[in-house]
Every structure is written in structure tokens, then in C-alpha cells.
Amino acid sequence: MRYAIVGDIHSSTKDLEAVLKQVAEVAPDAKLVGTGDLFECTISKRNITDFKYEKMEDVMQLPEGFRDLLTFPSIRGNQEERIVFITNTDDPLRMELEKLPETMQIGEAVVIHGHQWHYGDNPWQKLSPTWKLVFFGHTHRSEIFRNGHSECIRFGEEYEVGKERVIVNVGSVIENREWVLYDEYNAVIRFMKA
């Protein structure tokens, strides 16, 4: 099974369309998976109070046709968590966001957003010791960590991921148009940029 892993879209229709087009050209058989932050919350975390909004449009960017592009499963990111926290409505979209899981298993790998640990932390300290391969986003930087050490990456090149503990940041769709192709059978990943 091959997976096209995308994250940090932040409601960017144009960037997501470009990435989806490349995925369709390069890996049409790949199953799409999201690492969260599908939507952009327009209320910053510094401006959160006890006030609850009743309209989703008041707290998030919802461009025309964007939701139609979200045909793939995803976990929740910090943007989705904030949107759910500051709204009080029976809007079906809010219910969808509330039900997004914190993690997702794809083959032997785990997908998590990455906001669960603080910047500069050793991510392995916050993750289950049974997780050998983890895909995440959040920082908008494509990276690979082997046994806690960051490595330089090159887009389009393959990296083995089956022999040691590896964390992979898939980068961001918004602005960077980055994603990762994970070939589970051959235990390799490829950083991609549309």
C-alpha cells in the first residue's frame, strides 16, 4: 500500500489543488491521509475567551469548494481543536471536526499532528515506545528524524524507514505545497513538492 500524506492545509484551496494534482500524476494508487490543520481558524489562541461563537464562518476560513477537496481521512490538528473549543453550534461541520481522531494507524505507521509536544522537545519522549514510524506536521517544515537526530532532506529522493525509529514531518500544503509519499511495502518515503 502507498500513502500520500498531506498536512497543514489551512483552508488553502489553491495549494491543495496543486498537491492533489501532483499526487494524481505521481501516485494515483496512493491512499490520501491528512495530518490535521485542514482548516484555518481566524481566532488566534491569544484571543480566546469564554465567549462561544454560533457560526462556523465567524471562526474559520471556508472558501467556496474547499470542503469538496477533503475526500480523505485526517486526524485533528490544533486548528480543529481551537475551532471546536470556541464554537457552540449544532453545525454538522463542527461535529465532524470534533470526531476527528488524535492519531491514526496507517499500516505500520502512526499519524499525529505534532502540537502535542512543545517546540524543541524530543518528540520521542511524548510518543508511545511501540511507535516505530510516525508522520506529523504542525511546524510546516519537511524533516526526518532517525533515533532523535534530524537529517537534511532532498525532495524527490527516497529514504528508508523500516529499520529504526523514524519521525517524518510531511511539511505543509499551504505556501510550500509539500507532502510525503510513503511506500509501506518497500519501507521507503519520498518528500514531494508540487
Side-chain angles (χ1 to χ4, degrees):
M1 172 76 75
R2 295 201 302 171
Y3 297 90
I5 307 169
V6 299
D8 292 285
I9 302 165
H10 292 270
S11 299
S12 178
T13 304
K14 201 176 218 182
D15 291 326
L16 181 56
E17 286 174 337
V19 167
L20 293 177
K21 181 180 178 197
Q22 187 181 43
V23 169
E25 291 168 357
V26 173
D29 62 314
K31 179 178 178 179
L32 275 155
V33 175
T35 67
D37 280 4
L38 305 171
F39 295 96
E40 177 66 21
C41 182
T42 56
I43 308 297
S44 77
K45 59 184 169 186
R46 283 181 238 111
N47 294 331
I48 292 178
T49 65
D50 289 336
F51 181 78
K52 300 296 182 192
Y53 295 84
E54 294 182 9
K55 294 183 181 174
M56 299 299 280
E57 303 83 33
D58 292 341
V59 302
M60 63 191 298
Q61 292 178 6
L62 280 168
E64 182 81 27
F66 179 72
R67 288 185 66 195
D68 295 335
L69 300 173
L70 301 177
T71 60
F72 48 89
S74 180
I75 53 146
R76 71 175 175 264
N78 55 294
Q79 297 290 307
E80 287 81 26
E81 284 183 357
R82 191 179 323 144
I83 290 165
V84 168
F85 181 77
I86 63 177
T87 55
N88 184 15
T89 175
D90 59 359
D91 187 303
L93 176 57
R94 185 191 184 280
M95 292 179 215
E96 286 174 36
L97 298 182
E98 190 172 29
K99 290 180 181 176
L100 290 175
E102 184 176 29
T103 63
M104 180 189 310
Q105 192 83 31
I106 56 169
E108 297 295 315
V110 174
V111 179
I112 189 168
H113 183 62
H115 66 288
Q116 293 82 353
W117 56 81
H118 297 289
Y119 183 76
D121 279 359
N122 176 355
W124 287 118
Q125 294 172 346
K126 305 279 183 175
L127 303 178
S128 167
T130 62
W131 294 354
K132 301 291 186 201
L133 176 58
V134 177
F135 292 98
F136 77 106
H138 188 56
T139 65
H140 297 206
R141 284 192 316 264
S142 291
E143 298 177 281
I144 187 169
F145 299 87
R146 291 184 198 276
N147 296 317
H149 302 288
S150 178
E151 295 179 16
C152 290
I153 62 115
R154 291 191 178 104
F155 289 96
E157 289 189 16
E158 285 189 350
Y159 295 83
E160 285 187 21
V161 292
K163 296 179 182 167
E164 55 209 336
R165 294 188 82 189
V166 177
I167 299 180
V168 177
N169 188 327
V170 303
S172 69
V173 169
I174 191 168
E175 297 173 347
N176 298 316
R177 299 182 177 185
E178 297 168 348
W179 60 284
V180 165
L181 180 60
Y182 167 44
D183 182 336
E184 179 187 20
Y185 179 76
N186 293 305
V188 294
I189 63 164
R190 182 176 292 164
F191 290 93
M192 306 296 289
K193 191 173 181 81

